[in-house]
Amino acid sequence: MKRDFRDRYAPQTMQAGQGLQEEEKKMIRLHETGVYLTKDGIIPDGPAAPAGLPAREEAEQRTIAWQILKAHNTSGDKNNLKLKFDKLTSHDITYVGIIQTARASGLTRFPIPYVLTNCHNSLCAVGGTINEDDHMFGLTCAKRYGGVYVPPHQAVIHQYAREQMAEGGAMILGSDSHTRYGALGTMAIGEGGPELVKQLLGRTYDVKRPGVVAVYLTGSPRRGVGPQDIALALIGAVFANGYVKNKVMEFVGPGVANLTVDERIGVDVMTTETTCLSSIWITDEKVEEFYEIHGRREAYRALAPGENAWYEGAVEVNLDEIRPMIAMPFHPSNVYPIHELKENLKDILADCEKKAKVSLGRGVSYRLRDKIVDGNLYVEQGIIAGCAGGGFENICAAADILRGRNIGDGRFSLSVYPASTPIFKELMANGTAGDLISAGAVVKTAFCGPCFGAGDTPANQALSIRHSTRNFPNREGSKLQEHQIASVALMDARSIAATAAAKGFLTGADELDVEYTGPAYHFDGSIYANRVFDGRGKADPETEIQFGPNIKDWPEMVPLTEDILLRVAAVIHDPVTTTDELIPSGETSSYRSNPEALSQFTLSRKVPAYVERAKEVREAEMIRRMNTCPMRENKDIGDAFRAVKAVHPELKARATGIGTVIYAVKPGDGSAREQAASCQKVLGGWANIAREYATKRYRSNLINWGMIPFLLPDEELPFAELDFLFIPGIRTAVETGAQEITAYRILDGKLIPFTLGIGEMTKDERQIILDGCLINYYKAH
């Protein structure tokens, strides 16, 4: 069997002797060193670089990314940035918690444009009225504080931002991880809710200056190749090796001009899956035309790097060589060219089943090879949706493939979700929607549900192919704890349509001879003008906020104590742990306005025993806070304290924080959802321990909820699940900026020392942890 696509790419000097196929080396090439972008293309930095190039320190400030970051930095320090954003955006899973946190911290008005979209909890079926209660909360807050409210089914969050918010040279912060508008010249970042709270309260987004990596495009896409194919090839090349982690991807090169704006947008939104911090593209007359079509020509700004700009690395992408791709379960980086999958079907499916056991556990029966029918892979469902797939050109291309064909009357189904009502109207006007419906597809309103498991959940053991953003375990809505398992493979809309035309048998779009019509797009701005509430700059403090019974305040959170006693409530050995596994999506999303109710789902699909373990320890902490000795109420905690007091007789149990900690190798990949951290906090979590954190945003979420992001590089753990850990002097260590601390495993009445890394934190981050959470920090400072 051919090797996993993810393993084929490494920085250039690491490729020697790996026996890569020539077509693969032509597709994507990574540079090990920094590079200069010259008029002649990419020039690697180093002794062989031609004379006359500027010094790195000067040339690295010539990138588009640095030009934008510099304009938004308020610190006066080019290495330690304090950014103020131009606009904010949230959806109905996140804005309630953000506004509640900001209200508790003194919010009086929205100081910058803040858009509240309603594209996640759009369906009001789970939990009765609570989703619509959240929507009414959002509308009344938009009126009270001066925001923009986009009603359900009008647009998915990122399409609305592209159509109405993006602006050349601007910065947007969103509480959704796929906040990416770089193709339109806007540097956008997706973060957890507390980072938006900081902006609402006039504070800053603090980050070390990120490295910038050039993505140098050449060539033109083949017929049948779409933006998702390009994106998946890119993700497959850079995710596993961390090549762009927490950096800015800057798209340059002559190949950019050969992509339409819709194609650029489709690639750009998927950069989140590389774990980069943000993205930005050169802009041209096509981008200017996009703004003009949407009635906002004044928002356009020509962006290009300065001459001989220096980049920390470079990814060279030859668009000519990209083929239709597929990301197999259970990660967007588990990528293969479709033709390669079909040529090696049994071996690759067997490998996917083997990898699945790592995340799903051996108690779950998961099968893919059963889907081989007469030598072909059969899938049960196709979805084209959301911020990645629901664009005008994707849907028109799918209709071109299906025109005159049909999806059949078998198990295979196809649903199409235009990303906004203006797109939907144009699809109806030009006949595209009718062609899809005639072929057997169901065309639905703008909704993000299929992307995170709140709509179009397939049958048990079914395989769904989707032009959406992620394919993590259970993300499509199946529930392991109820003996359900389905899975998703990511593909481009064109190949999904080709598979639909083949009645569910996997088919790449390049296998069909199709004439793509490429119809023009006409935007109808009256749709938003007639329906969207726009209260920017018009706060009305007399407006009464409408609450629902599910909207609850955050519980009390106490400052960090000098010493802490932690129980290891979960140990996860998976190579990567996603935020979907830390707090599941789908029906749980309806409870995100209720911290205690939502916390009951924490790790429910990964470590089902976690919640009860955490609640038992939390009960002891509640007893401590009432100035009662917790040793008398819980035998295990009492035994742990007695072991500690044998060595530290001065220890006072009533003054020692008691809580839980989880260990995961690399937690936090995927969604920006702050609840992945806040739910642990609500249940009494004080910390995470990890070999590394998958994303900056998850680590920031931990800090903002007063949880210490400990580091432990050792592969062999010095503790086990359910052990107690004693960490003396942690408050002093955080106060003084210590980089590591001695912790103790309590085993058989003995204290066994080991070292935990604390990692580098800003002064404000340390204070947030000391105060117990961001809410407490704002109350105190």
Side-chain angles (χ1 to χ4, degrees):
M1 188 189 80
K2 297 180 182 179
R3 287 173 298 112
D4 190 326
F5 188 85
R6 294 175 298 170
D7 299 330
R8 298 178 191 158
Y9 295 97
Q12 187 179 350
T13 59
M14 300 180 192
Q15 291 182 353
Q18 290 187 348
L20 302 183
Q21 296 184 9
E22 285 303 312
E23 67 168 306
E24 293 158 355
K25 288 194 288 186
K26 290 176 183 177
M27 191 187 302
I28 296 182
R29 174 189 179 197
L30 307 186
H31 286 259
E32 184 181 47
T33 65
V35 303
Y36 286 90
L37 177 62
T38 73
K39 58 182 176 58
D40 298 317
I42 294 289
I43 303 294
D45 195 3
L53 292 172
R56 167 186 167 178
E57 289 71 24
E58 175 190 349
E60 67 183 356
Q61 298 184 47
R62 299 182 181 183
T63 64
I64 305 171
W66 174 243
Q67 294 170 34
I68 295 175
L69 289 169
K70 181 180 179 182
H72 291 81
N73 180 32
T74 64
S75 72
D77 181 347
K78 71 176 184 179
N79 295 315
N80 297 288
L81 310 182
K82 290 181 174 292
L83 301 175
K84 286 204 169 183
F85 289 78
D86 300 294
K87 301 172 184 177
L88 305 175
T89 185
S90 293
H91 50 62
D92 45 354
I93 280 180
T94 57
Y95 65 59
V96 176
I98 291 168
I99 295 173
Q100 285 286 73
T101 303
R103 289 179 67 245
S105 305
L107 176 71
T108 58
R109 65 179 181 87
F110 296 154
I112 56 177
Y114 186 19
V115 174
L116 311 178
T117 64
N118 295 276
C119 51
H120 280 58
N121 280 349
S122 304
L123 303 181
C124 301
V126 176
T129 69
I130 60 180
N131 286 355
E132 190 63 13
D133 290 343
D134 286 353
H135 299 158
M136 291 303 98
F137 174 91
L139 176 59
T140 52
C141 284
K143 292 180 177 181
R144 182 181 181 96
Y145 299 118
V148 178
Y149 176 85
V150 183
H153 305 288
Q154 288 295 307
V156 302
I157 178 173
H158 303 308
Q159 188 61 27
Y160 185 84
R162 295 161 188 154
E163 294 172 356
Q164 300 293 291
M165 297 177 66
E167 191 175 350
M171 291 194 74
I172 294 178
L173 184 66
S175 56
D176 183 273
S177 58
H178 290 102
T179 305
R180 292 283 189 270
Y181 317 127
L184 301 174
T186 303
M187 188 179 291
I189 297 175
E191 278 284 359
E195 292 299 329
L196 277 77
V197 172
K198 294 176 184 178
Q199 297 290 311
L200 290 174
L201 299 176
R203 307 299 178 99
T204 57
Y205 178 82
D206 301 344
V207 63
K208 286 193 173 294
R209 179 161 60 113
V212 185
V213 173
V215 183
Y216 189 79
L217 305 181
T218 59
S220 301
R222 303 182 184 201
R223 178 174 294 190
V225 168
Q228 187 81 325
D229 299 315
I230 301 166
L232 292 178
L234 189 56
I235 295 164
V238 302
F239 173 79
N241 53 31
Y243 192 77
V244 298
K245 180 180 177 182
N246 293 333
K247 298 173 184 175
V248 178
M249 299 175 73
E250 185 160 308
F251 288 77
V252 295
V256 173
N258 298 326
L259 297 175
T260 68
V261 174
D262 260 20
E263 287 173 331
R264 299 178 203 182
I265 286 170
V267 175
D268 187 61
V269 71
M270 292 297 291
T271 59
T272 295
E273 304 312 317
T274 68
T275 69
C276 75
L277 179 71
S278 187
S279 62
I280 195 68
W281 295 56
I282 57 174
T283 59
D284 55 17
E285 66 280 356
K286 290 183 178 179
V287 178
E288 186 175 17
E289 182 185 32
F290 176 93
Y291 281 115
E292 188 170 0
I293 288 170
H294 290 84
R296 299 194 303 123
R297 189 179 183 280
E298 73 284 354
Y300 172 72
R301 178 178 163 191
L303 298 177
E307 185 178 1
N308 300 326
W310 186 90
Y311 295 86
E312 191 172 300
V315 183
E316 293 193 61
V317 181
N318 185 348
L319 298 173
D320 292 334
E321 300 297 328
I322 303 290
R323 300 285 297 275
M325 309 294 289
I326 182 169
M328 295 297 288
F330 285 104
H331 200 275
S333 66
N334 192 15
V335 178
Y336 300 87
I338 290 175
H339 74 87
E340 181 179 314
L341 172 63
K342 295 176 74 169
E343 292 164 7
N344 302 272
L345 194 54
K346 290 183 179 179
D347 288 341
I348 291 176
L349 295 186
D351 189 55
C352 289
E353 292 173 352
K354 181 180 177 181
K355 290 175 181 174
K357 290 180 179 178
V358 175
S359 293
L360 303 179
R362 297 188 177 274
V364 176
S365 175
Y366 178 68
R367 305 179 301 278
L368 282 177
R369 282 172 288 180
D370 291 358
K371 301 189 179 303
I372 300 175
V373 180
D374 297 329
N376 298 310
L377 180 65
Y378 181 76
V379 301
E380 287 86 356
Q381 184 189 66
I383 305 287
I384 300 170
C387 59
F392 177 74
E393 290 181 7
N394 289 328
I395 296 174
C396 288
D400 287 335
I401 291 170
L402 283 167
R403 192 172 293 112
R405 300 180 170 98
N406 66 81
I407 72 172
D409 59 0
R411 285 177 290 165
F412 182 84
S413 65
L414 176 64
S415 293
V416 179
Y417 293 77
S420 71
T421 301
I423 290 175
F424 198 167
K425 180 182 178 183
E426 185 66 10
L427 294 172
M428 290 189 292
N430 69 15
T432 296
D435 289 335
L436 289 168
I437 292 169
S438 295
V442 180
V443 183
K444 305 181 180 181
T445 54
F447 178 40
C448 296
C451 188
F452 65 95
D456 284 287
T457 303
N460 186 51
Q461 294 292 342
L463 175 62
S464 176
I465 52 174
R466 302 188 176 195
H467 192 155
S468 59
T469 57
R470 292 197 176 113
N471 60 339
F472 296 159
N474 307 115
R475 190 171 170 90
E476 79 304 307
S478 61
K479 303 177 184 179
L480 283 180
Q481 73 273 27
E482 296 182 15
H483 309 290
Q484 303 170 15
I485 180 63
S487 53
V488 169
L490 300 181
M491 288 167 51
D492 187 83
R494 293 149 188 81
S495 292
I496 293 173
T499 301
K503 311 294 192 290
F505 289 99
L506 184 68
T507 305
D510 58 349
E511 299 177 50
L512 302 181
D513 185 15
V514 175
E515 186 64 36
Y516 293 98
T517 58
Y521 179 63
H522 305 91
F523 174 76
D524 183 356
S526 68
I527 295 171
Y528 293 147
N530 293 335
R531 188 70 186 101
V532 172
F533 172 79
D534 188 345
R536 283 176 287 184
K538 296 177 288 187
D540 178 9
E542 300 302 314
T543 299
E544 183 178 349
I545 297 174
Q546 183 172 326
F547 291 88
N550 186 62
I551 298 175
K552 304 293 185 183
D553 292 330
W554 293 102
E556 179 190 9
M557 300 176 195
V558 298
L560 179 65
T561 53
E562 179 62 21
D563 312 315
I564 53 177
L565 179 71
L566 305 179
R567 187 157 216 181
V568 182
V571 170
I572 304 171
H573 292 288
D574 293 4
V576 178
T577 302
T578 69
T579 49
D580 279 85
E581 293 169 308
L582 292 166
I583 184 67
S585 54
E587 85 283 2
T588 63
S589 300
S590 295
Y591 299 99
R592 292 200 191 175
S593 303
N594 186 330
E596 180 67 25
L598 181 65
S599 72
Q600 307 307 300
F601 295 95
T602 311
L603 281 169
S604 59
R605 297 179 188 172
K606 195 68 185 172
V607 186
Y610 170 82
V611 170
E612 290 308 314
R613 292 172 180 172
K615 288 167 72 173
E616 182 182 1
V617 176
R618 183 180 65 174
E619 186 176 341
E621 168 67 5
M622 294 299 103
I623 291 170
R624 179 193 75 82
R625 293 182 193 179
M626 293 187 291
N627 202 31
T628 301
C629 181
M631 294 175 61
R632 302 170 186 166
E633 306 295 330
N634 184 297
K635 180 182 183 302
D636 291 341
I637 290 173
D639 290 344
F641 265 120
R642 279 184 280 274
V644 172
K645 287 177 75 68
V647 180
H648 297 275
E650 75 287 356
L651 182 78
K652 296 186 184 303
R654 291 182 177 88
T656 302
I658 306 169
T660 49
V661 61
I662 70 166
Y663 170 84
V665 175
K666 188 178 179 180
D669 187 26
S671 168
R673 67 188 66 155
E674 64 182 273
Q675 293 87 359
S678 65
C679 284
Q680 297 176 51
K681 180 72 171 184
V682 168
L683 290 172
W686 285 86
N688 276 194
I689 302 175
R691 203 176 299 171
E692 65 173 307
Y693 292 92
T695 58
K696 174 207 169 291
R697 57 183 173 267
Y698 178 67
R699 184 177 180 273
S700 294
N701 283 337
L702 290 174
I703 292 170
N704 285 327
W705 287 105
M707 299 177 69
I708 307 165
F710 285 124
L711 292 166
L712 184 66
D714 305 339
E715 290 193 20
E716 186 172 341
L717 289 186
F719 52 79
E721 195 168 75
L722 298 183
D723 277 351
F724 281 96
L725 308 180
F726 177 60
I727 309 176
I730 183 60
R731 184 176 180 89
T732 297
V734 172
E735 280 178 324
T736 58
Q739 295 293 295
E740 57 183 38
I741 192 169
T742 299
Y744 297 87
R745 177 191 189 185
I746 302 171
L747 183 65
D748 297 330
K750 305 293 185 183
L751 271 60
I752 304 170
F754 65 97
T755 300
L756 284 174
I758 298 176
E760 189 173 349
M761 287 185 276
T762 67
K763 180 181 177 181
D764 286 347
E765 286 175 333
R766 292 197 303 270
Q767 191 61 52
I768 290 167
I769 288 176
L770 293 171
D771 289 340
C773 67
L774 188 67
I775 297 173
N776 293 355
Y777 171 79
Y778 283 136
K779 287 179 179 178
H781 306 277

